[in-house]
Amino acid sequence: MQSILGHTRKADITFHRNGRIDISAIVTKSLGLNAGDVLDICMSDYGEYYLVIAHKAINTNGNHRAKVFVTKKGRKHNRNMRTYCVKLCKAMLEFHQTANEKVSFAVGSPVKDAVYGLVLPIITRLNLSYNDKGNKL
């Protein structure tokens, strides 16, 4: 027998080649992300990637790269967010060595960090843009 679905886990964060980063509600709730916060990705000494809030909205003045905004304004409980940063997207696409237009990942449980506070590990071993056979979904 052969599975049709492959992976059943849905993506939590998606990086597009044009610089768009889609962020699910799970990520925004776990990090306590609000509109206007600035995201960043940090790499640990062990080669693990972490999604962090570089600056909170109340502490930012002016324009910043990777400043998040709500995808559907006017909705009371919409927690899906989006940001644009070509530099972050290029880094994640190059890390995964893919020529595709996007790469999607799941995130792990929040972890405390001395510098950034709460961070989310990005599970990079599992590219959710593909099924087990390597075929594009």
Side-chain angles (χ1 to χ4, degrees):
M1 261 197 274
Q2 197 172 32
S3 173
I4 293 174
L5 285 179
H7 299 292
T8 57
R9 173 82 187 260
K10 289 177 127 183
D12 294 322
I13 189 161
T14 303
F15 299 91
H16 298 264
R17 190 163 299 284
N18 66 356
R20 187 177 84 196
I21 302 171
D22 296 324
I23 306 159
S24 73
I26 303 255
V27 173
T28 60
K29 286 178 190 174
S30 297
L31 278 179
L33 195 61
N34 294 310
D37 290 347
V38 178
L39 281 184
D40 197 4
I41 296 175
C42 296
M43 191 172 135
S44 72
D45 297 335
Y46 306 109
E48 298 168 336
Y49 287 86
Y50 292 93
L51 189 64
V52 301
I53 298 176
H55 304 287
K56 291 298 277 180
I58 57 171
N59 299 331
T60 58
N61 293 324
N63 292 329
H64 291 270
R65 289 186 200 147
K67 186 185 273 191
V68 300
F69 58 91
V70 179
T71 57
K72 294 180 185 172
K73 293 181 182 176
R75 290 250 172 128
K76 191 171 184 176
H77 298 291
N78 184 38
R79 296 292 293 170
N80 292 328
M81 295 198 172
R82 180 173 289 157
T83 187
Y84 286 88
C85 184
V86 173
K87 190 173 185 177
L88 287 178
C89 287
K90 271 183 150 179
M92 294 309 287
L93 287 164
E94 286 175 9
F95 165 75
H96 209 273
Q97 298 175 346
T98 183
N100 295 331
E101 292 300 310
K102 69 179 184 176
V103 63
S104 301
F105 299 109
V107 297
S109 299
V111 178
K112 283 278 191 186
D113 182 65
V115 177
Y116 291 102
L118 209 56
V119 299
L120 280 178
I122 300 173
I123 304 170
T124 55
R125 305 183 302 278
L126 181 62
N127 179 358
L128 297 173
S129 303
Y130 288 86
N131 61 17
D132 289 333
K133 302 276 185 252
N135 300 326
K136 188 174 182 182
L137 295 177

